[in-house]
Each structure stands twice: as C-alpha cells, then as structure tokens.
Amino acid sequence: MKDLSQEYISLNAVTKIQNQDNTHNFYADKQAVDMYFKEHVEPNTKKFSSIEEKIGYLIENDYYDEEVLDKYDRKDVIDLFKKAKEYNFKFLNFMGAYKFYNSYCLKSFDGKYYLEEYTDRVSMNALLLAKGNIKSAYDILDAMLKGIFQPATPTFLNAGKKKRGEYVSCYLVRVEDNMESISRAISTSLQLSKRGGGVALCLTNLREFGAPIKKIQNQCTGIVPVMKLLEDSFSYANQLGQRQGAGAVYLNVHHPEVMTFLDTKRENADEKIRIKSLALGLVIPDITFTLAKNNEDMALFSPYDIQRVYGVPMSDISITKEYYNLLKDDRIKKTYISARKLFQTIAELHFESGYPYILFDDTVNMRNPQKKKGRIVMSNLCSEIAQVNTISTFKQDLSFENIGEDVCCNLGSINIAKMMENACDMEKIIDTCIVSLDSVSRLTDIDCAPSIRKGNEKNHAVGLGAMNLHGFLATNEIYYASNDAVDFTDAFFYTLAYYAFKASNKLAKNVGVFEGFEDSEYATGEYFKKYTEHEFTISSEKVKNLLEKYMLKLPTKEDWIKLAKDIKESGLANAHLLAVAPTGSISYVSSCTPSLQPVVSPIEVRKEGKLGRVYVPAYMIDDKNYKYYEKGAYEIGSEWIIDVAAAAAKHVDQAISLTLFMTDKATTRDLNKAYIRAFSKKCPSIYYLRIRQDILEGSEDHTCTSCVI
C-alpha cells in the first residue's frame, strides 16, 4: 500500500505544538484524520458498486465466513450493513484511524487493498455475536457504533472472517508435578499460541531443584528448564510471523525457587537461566506481608513434600492459613529467606524489567464465589482474570485420564463516557454486552485444549470491563487525583455490577445456568451480602450532581435484595462477569483513555513502526479541559491510581489490570509502599510497572498484545 504524500503525519505533529498564548492545536489532529483518508485509505480501498456486491465478493473469495451470514436472511444482512453506514461514524483522532486500518481492517490476501470500512467490521461483529437473532444484531451494532461497547481485540479482529484466529483473548493452564502434565502443558501452549492466544501457566506445584525423583535425592532440575521450554514454544508458535507468541508463568512466593524465578529476569542473569520474553507473575499470600511487616524470615516449602504429606498440590492450600502448621511439620522440607529481602528483590526487578505481575492470593480467594470448587491459583497475562482452575490427570501416552477445568478469557469493555451519555438505557446496554460476551464463550472452538474447553463449557465466564475513566472525569471537570474521582468510580462500578448480574440472570432463563451454580456463593446469597445488608452511599456532592445530570439511577438495597432472590431462584448463565483489562490497542481505536488509568500526558507520544512518532491527544481534549489532563500518570503517582482501582475492585468479581507509574527518581522503598497500599486497599492484582525514562515515551510497549482489548 502506498501513500500519496503523507501530509497527515505532518498535520498530526502540529498537534503537539503549544502556541505563545498557551492554546493548543488539537484541530490539527482532526485534519490529520481527514488527510489520512484522502491520502492513504481511499486510494488503497477496493471499490464496490454496492453493499450487495461487496458482501458477495467477500464470501466468494473466502474473506467472509458464509456460515456466520447464513444464520440470517441475506436481505437482513444487507440492511444491517446499510444501517451501520447511517451512523456516519468518524474517528476522533488520527491514532484511532491508523490503528484500525493497520491492525484490524480486513485486507486482501496480497496486502494491496483494504476490503472493509470500520462500519463493516462492526457489522460482522454484530452478526457473529447475535447468533442469528437480527434484533440482537441491531442492539450490538448500536452499542458499538455509539462507542459504548467494544469487544476484545481477538473478537473484533476475527469476527466473521474465513481465515481467522480465535475470538478469545488468553488462556490459563495449571501444571502439575509430573512429566505428563508438563509435556501436555507445553503442547497445549503451542496449540493455543498458534491460534493467537496468550497463555499463562501456574508452576507452583512443580518440585524444586534438588528434590527427589522416585525417592532418589537431588535429581530434580527445577522450574527453570520448564520455563525455558515454554519460552521456546511461544517463540516458535509466532502466529504466522505477525507477532511472537505471548506466555506468562506464575509462582507462589513460598516456593523454594522463588529467588531463582525472579533472577531469570535480571539484566545480568546467566544465559543458562535468563528468560527474555516469558512474563513472570507472583502469587503473594497475606502471611508474606505480615512476615515482612514484622521483619521476620519467611519459610519456603517443598511442593514435593506438601503433595506427599497433605495429599494435595501446594497451590490448593492456603499458605496463610496453613503457614504455621507447615512450619511445625518436620516432614515438610523448608528453607528460609528474609521476607523484606523478597520484596526488595521484587521492587528491584520491577525497576529493571517491569515484571513480575502480582496476584494477591487471599484477596482474590476471599472474593471467589466458587470456593467449593477450589482455589484461584494464578492469573493471566494482564492480571485481570481470577477464576478457579482444577486438576487434570494424564495417562503415559499423554491422553487425559481425568479432564480438569482450565480457563479462557472472553473480554469486552464499556466506554465510561459514552455509557454515561446513554445512562438512561444502561440496563438494556449492559444486557446487550453480557449477551455478546456470552456468545463469544459459546462460539469458541478450543478442541485443541480439552481442559480449557471443559472449563469454558461449564462456566461460560466472561469479563466485562471499562475504559475511558480519565476521559469522562476530565470532560466533566473532575481531577483524576481526587476523592470525587474515587467516589464516581465506586458508584459507576456498583451500578455496572448490578446490571451485569441482572443481565446474566435474565440470560440464564434462555440458555441455562452455569454448571456448579448451586454450590456457589451466588446461590446462597453470600456473595451479595455487601449489597443486601448495606445501603450504598456517596459522600461527594459533585458526584451526586453528576449522576443526576446524566440520569444514572443507582440501585437501592431493595433492588439488590430482589435481584439476589431472583438469582437464587433462576441462577446465572455465567460463573464470572466482570474483569478490567488494560485496553491498550482498542482504547486507541475508540479514541479514548485506556482502562481505569490516567493518561501518561495530555498528548501522548508513541512510536509506531515506519510512521515514527505519532501524537495522541487525550479524549475530547480542548483548551478548557486541558488542565484536567495536565497531570499525567507519572505526576499523579501510584496512590491515587491504586485508590481508584480499589474503588472499582469492590464490585469486580475477578480482577483489574492495575499498572503503576513512577518517575526515574522513585526508589524501591516507594515501590514497596505501593505494594503495601494496593494490598491493604484490597486490590486483587498489580499488572505492570512503567518507569519514565529520558527516552521517547511509548517507544517501548510491554503490554501483552494477546490480551489487551
């Protein structure tokens, strides 16, 4: 594809220039969008005389999947595509247009032409997710073209395409302490990575270096060789060379090899153990913080001995509850390190690499609505998924002896600003979102991973999240670093949770209840006590006025009591409903601020391949609201970011991709304070740490491209 002159790049660059009177040239970015279409998109788009001709061509030439369209009368399909055009959709900024055409738009097999417009891609998403129900297709189309709802990248990218990857963002796989489980995990990772998914694996149960094998001492080579095999697997399954496969491994901090695990990411690590592309995640129980607070040594327990003595894998016991019993048990081998040294090492590694991710073990398991099924032992590549994985066992030929349950992520996001503009229709819109994500779970083909297929078929878990929080706050003259912002986040997610559960309850009457509902805390009502036993209140008068302005009606305690009763009687279609992902790529397409985090700066600078620097103005920024964007994530600091995430987390049944931002003047002490704050505020997880260096901001993006939505 060729450009005529690339004047749009020059126009986009004008956006960053501040005038002598302190005004800005935000108009230039809108002009860049128009010029981008004139110079690049239009000359490189294949022309058709009609929508009928276009759809016929795309089906006949194996671009569109006819099975998706055959669920509808062809006239209804044509009418939907025509209706989509009537919305007169326009990209709000250049980056959104560029991202769509560079990463999402259907292109000819030879790469010479664009074959879709944005409205076409949305139409195919609506038709796929509605599964033959044309009324539902129109509802999904409306929610997407109004900018309220955005499916995950894999769904949005692949919907309706003949040659496609999966609709699922990422997968979570348990690994047990035997060669069959390890081998199967590696082969499953290859298969899933081939299909475009990011894969996280739990290594907590693997015996440590030097542990016995067949009672012969000092035989086990530990977790690092397994990590090496996984890293090579993801490198090999590189999704047709488009991007390297993405993988993460999680380990409980009381595993004997935790320090070696962290050392694999050191810049100066020996090549024999160095892990370059595999992401690391830690599972940290409450007891670890207690030991660090008291400046005590922490015991590291042999997974081999725990399995032998307790009869269950290490990941399936609460280290916090069992710590002192394990300590007293002479049958359990243990070694000791300083708890404070562990946190110091984590902080050092965060500064070096941005890793590890952190999952707060007891926080997510306390909120786990399926405690009878098991424990949450890991998260995913972006640390927003918190679901139960169960054990699989294998025969010697690696076939399944017993298929356990593993996890896949069916994700989408609400644009908070656009949702608030349509707040009077919130119940209907959230209903549409839950139906859409439920469809992803039922359309997903993951036969290559039977344990994930089983987990998905039994749970149909989804993860509806949100983005553009800072955009909404700024355009309503609320500073991100304020109690008003925390109060609004609390109120919004309180309401979102209510309508999400109501939608899943309604859906259950049509598609059935997820398997195991009767053993969950949804069925007993325990999960809803925080709503049914307490009236929700807002202290901020500004937020009260804001909700009144947008006509957002908060559910009452009586509303929750009735909903909990309805759920007890007729169940839920989905075992999980809410999870807040990073929304890196899709927030650019939607021209809004990412996830719940503040913008990095009012005009973000990114490095985009051959284009070089691209300037991305914040959502609906102008000279009037500029001051509400002026302090970016690094200036705001971690405290307010954590407090906002904690307010949302009270109502999210899974987790939140919480990214921390620090300047290069920050110390490991500052970072440890952030860990403690996030832990004490009951945040479920910490995703990634970004350090501002004296380099082009955005030139290095560590966000997982498999998971972001």
Side-chain angles (χ1 to χ4, degrees):
M1 293 183 182
K2 296 181 179 180
D3 292 334
L4 299 181
S5 69
Q6 294 195 358
E7 186 180 337
Y8 55 85
I9 297 175
S10 300
L11 279 167
N12 173 256
V14 173
T15 308
K16 76 177 191 297
I17 299 172
Q18 186 170 345
N19 302 318
Q20 289 184 347
D21 61 358
N22 291 327
T23 60
H24 302 82
N25 299 298
F26 301 126
Y27 69 89
D29 188 62
K30 299 185 187 305
Q31 291 179 349
V33 176
D34 294 337
M35 191 59 67
Y36 178 63
F37 272 83
K38 181 180 178 181
E39 291 185 341
H40 178 77
V41 175
E42 291 173 6
N44 292 298
T45 298
K46 186 173 179 61
K47 304 298 188 293
F48 298 95
S49 61
S50 66
I51 292 174
E52 291 90 336
E53 182 191 355
K54 175 188 275 191
I55 292 175
Y57 175 88
L58 295 176
I59 292 172
E60 290 167 14
N61 289 277
D62 288 337
Y63 289 104
Y64 277 173
D65 185 351
E66 195 168 10
E67 286 186 17
V68 173
L69 301 179
D70 280 350
K71 292 178 181 177
Y72 304 87
D73 183 273
R74 189 55 54 88
K75 182 181 182 302
D76 287 338
V77 171
I78 301 301
D79 288 345
L80 185 85
F81 271 74
K82 289 179 178 177
K83 180 65 177 178
K85 281 185 171 294
E86 292 176 9
Y87 281 80
N88 293 317
F89 173 85
K90 293 185 183 300
F91 289 98
L92 292 180
N93 61 34
F94 167 69
M95 186 63 173
Y98 174 76
K99 266 291 182 188
F100 173 74
Y101 282 99
N102 190 55
S103 302
Y104 295 93
C105 181
L106 180 65
K107 302 175 183 70
S108 58
F109 294 133
D110 60 10
K112 290 182 179 179
Y113 296 105
Y114 297 121
L115 300 174
E116 288 181 319
E117 299 175 17
Y118 183 82
T119 53
D120 299 330
R121 186 91 303 267
V122 171
S123 296
M124 289 306 290
N125 272 260
L127 291 167
L128 174 81
L129 299 176
K131 297 190 300 184
N133 184 327
I134 192 63
K135 182 183 180 301
S136 180
Y138 275 99
D139 289 340
I140 297 167
L141 186 85
D142 187 66
M144 290 183 67
L145 284 177
K146 284 181 177 175
I148 305 169
F149 172 60
Q150 182 62 51
T153 284
T155 308
F156 186 58
L157 172 66
N158 291 306
K161 291 181 180 177
K162 185 80 169 180
K163 315 291 185 185
R164 64 171 179 85
E166 276 305 327
Y167 307 126
V168 175
S169 299
C170 54
Y171 308 90
L172 289 75
V173 178
R174 272 183 69 132
V175 187
E176 308 307 330
D177 188 32
N178 58 76
M179 193 64 77
E180 290 77 18
S181 181
I182 293 168
S183 301
R184 189 79 194 211
I186 292 167
S187 65
T188 298
S189 297
L190 280 164
Q191 291 290 341
L192 294 172
S193 185
K194 163 189 166 183
R195 288 161 173 79
V199 187
L201 303 102
C202 176
L203 303 186
T204 297
N205 298 329
L206 300 191
R207 69 190 75 185
E208 72 278 14
F209 181 87
I213 296 177
K214 296 183 177 180
K215 297 185 179 181
I216 303 173
Q217 296 293 325
N218 301 315
Q219 295 300 304
C220 183
T221 54
I223 61 173
V224 173
V226 178
M227 294 167 69
K228 286 281 192 181
L229 286 167
L230 286 167
E231 182 168 57
D232 289 343
S233 298
F234 291 118
S235 178
Y236 181 72
N238 64 0
Q239 300 158 35
L240 297 176
Q242 293 177 354
R243 62 189 181 195
Q244 193 161 332
V249 286
Y250 278 80
L251 191 76
N252 192 293
V253 292
H254 288 269
H255 188 285
E257 287 196 87
V258 63
M259 299 304 281
T260 303
F261 181 76
L262 294 174
D263 283 345
T264 62
K265 276 290 182 186
R266 293 282 194 184
E267 290 178 354
N268 60 350
D270 189 298
E271 285 300 318
K272 292 179 181 177
I273 70 162
R274 190 178 179 202
I275 296 294
K276 298 175 184 176
S277 58
L278 200 64
L280 306 187
L282 289 177
V283 181
I284 307 183
D286 287 4
I287 187 66
T288 320
F289 282 92
T290 302
L291 295 169
K293 180 181 179 181
N294 298 334
N295 198 18
E296 296 180 39
D297 283 349
M298 58 183 281
L300 310 179
F301 303 107
S302 166
Y304 171 80
D305 288 339
I306 289 175
Q307 176 75 55
R308 182 174 55 83
V309 174
Y310 275 65
V312 295
M314 180 175 176
S315 64
D316 292 352
I317 65 171
S318 167
I319 296 296
T320 295
K321 289 179 181 177
E322 294 296 327
Y323 183 79
Y324 291 103
N325 291 329
L326 291 165
L327 209 59
K328 290 184 291 185
D329 196 328
D330 292 337
R331 296 171 297 174
I332 307 292
K333 182 182 178 182
K334 51 195 75 77
T335 52
Y336 296 88
I337 60 171
S338 163
R340 289 190 178 179
K341 181 183 178 183
L342 170 72
F343 282 103
Q344 176 73 14
T345 303
I346 294 170
E348 290 170 0
L349 194 63
H350 259 143
F351 279 114
E352 282 188 30
S353 67
Y355 301 107
Y357 310 147
I358 292 174
L359 182 71
F360 296 109
D361 184 26
D362 292 287
T363 299
V364 294
N365 277 292
M366 186 64 67
R367 290 177 178 160
N368 175 19
Q370 299 196 75
K371 293 182 178 69
K372 286 187 178 180
K373 177 184 284 189
R375 303 188 76 253
I376 295 165
V377 301
M378 62 185 297
S379 188
N380 64 321
L381 276 90
C382 299
S383 75
E384 81 274 13
I385 298 300
Q387 299 179 29
V388 175
N389 298 64
T390 62
I391 298 173
S392 294
T393 57
F394 304 92
K395 300 174 184 176
Q396 289 186 3
D397 64 358
L398 303 189
S399 62
F400 279 89
E401 187 174 66
N402 173 66
I403 302 176
E405 294 179 37
D406 282 315
V407 174
C408 64
C409 318
N410 308 307
L411 303 173
S413 278
I414 292 290
N415 181 326
I416 294 173
K418 297 298 184 182
M419 182 73 263
M420 290 299 291
E421 290 172 11
N422 295 270
C424 57
D425 292 324
M426 190 169 187
E427 180 173 354
K428 178 186 175 184
I429 293 166
I430 299 304
D431 188 80
T432 297
C433 297
I434 296 299
V435 167
S436 298
L437 295 182
D438 180 80
S439 292
V440 175
S441 79
R442 295 174 197 275
L443 290 165
T444 299
D445 174 19
I446 36 182
D447 287 344
C448 67
S451 59
I452 289 175
R453 181 187 62 211
K454 181 177 178 180
N456 184 52
E457 288 175 349
K458 289 183 70 172
N459 294 295
H460 293 294
V462 302
L464 181 62
M467 57 187 175
N468 206 20
L469 175 63
H470 196 180
F472 175 77
L473 296 172
T475 51
N476 284 277
E477 300 182 350
I478 294 176
Y479 288 104
Y480 187 98
S482 69
N483 289 321
D484 292 333
V486 174
D487 271 7
F488 171 76
T489 304
D490 194 0
F492 182 85
F493 276 88
Y494 167 80
T495 311
L496 177 62
Y498 174 79
Y499 286 121
F501 278 108
K502 192 170 185 179
S504 188
N505 175 241
K506 177 182 172 184
L507 186 61
K509 296 166 187 174
N510 296 322
V511 301
V513 176
F514 76 85
E515 190 173 331
F517 167 79
E518 63 279 359
D519 292 324
S520 73
E521 292 184 354
Y522 302 134
T524 63
E526 182 71 23
Y527 182 85
F528 302 110
K529 280 186 176 179
K530 58 188 174 184
Y531 304 121
T532 58
E533 295 183 353
H534 307 280
E535 194 70 65
F536 182 81
T537 58
I538 301 172
S539 58
S540 166
E541 288 299 320
K542 189 166 188 177
V543 172
K544 289 179 184 176
N545 293 335
L546 191 65
L547 299 183
E548 186 176 337
K549 170 188 170 184
Y550 283 98
M551 296 185 289
L552 179 67
K553 183 178 179 295
L554 296 179
T556 62
K557 184 171 78 169
E558 286 69 33
D559 291 332
W560 276 105
I561 291 170
K562 182 180 184 305
L563 178 57
K565 182 174 179 290
D566 290 343
I567 289 171
K568 187 173 185 177
E569 290 175 355
S570 51
L572 294 169
N574 317 96
H576 292 275
L577 289 166
L578 302 177
V580 183
T583 72
S585 184
I586 286 299
S587 62
Y588 288 121
V589 174
S590 301
S591 301
C592 69
T593 63
S595 192
L596 305 185
Q597 67 194 44
V599 296
V600 172
S601 62
I603 302 172
E604 183 185 359
V605 186
R606 285 194 59 87
K607 188 176 180 182
E608 288 291 327
K610 295 177 182 178
L611 285 187
R613 294 187 180 195
V614 175
Y615 300 90
V616 189
Y619 174 76
M620 301 293 285
I621 192 170
D622 56 31
D623 288 320
K624 183 181 177 184
N625 62 38
Y626 181 86
K627 64 181 180 180
Y628 297 98
Y629 286 119
E630 195 164 14
K631 279 192 174 181
Y634 295 106
E635 290 77 25
I636 287 171
S638 61
E639 289 188 5
W640 285 109
I641 296 173
I642 289 168
D643 289 358
V644 165
K650 290 190 292 184
H651 312 292
V652 171
D653 60 276
Q654 294 190 70
I656 294 171
S657 290
L658 169 59
T659 299
L660 301 180
F661 297 82
M662 293 193 173
T663 68
D664 53 8
K665 294 181 175 60
T667 65
T668 54
R669 187 168 181 268
D670 296 323
L671 193 46
N672 272 292
K673 284 183 178 179
Y675 301 152
I676 294 167
R677 189 178 189 88
F679 164 71
S680 63
K681 292 274 185 176
K682 299 298 181 185
C683 290
S685 61
I686 295 174
Y687 171 38
Y688 194 76
L689 174 68
R690 293 186 68 180
I691 307 294
R692 181 164 62 190
Q693 306 285 0
D694 293 327
I695 59 173
L696 172 63
E697 178 59 45
S699 63
E700 187 175 5
D701 186 3
H702 293 274
T703 305
C704 162
T705 53
S706 291
C707 266
V708 294
I709 64 170

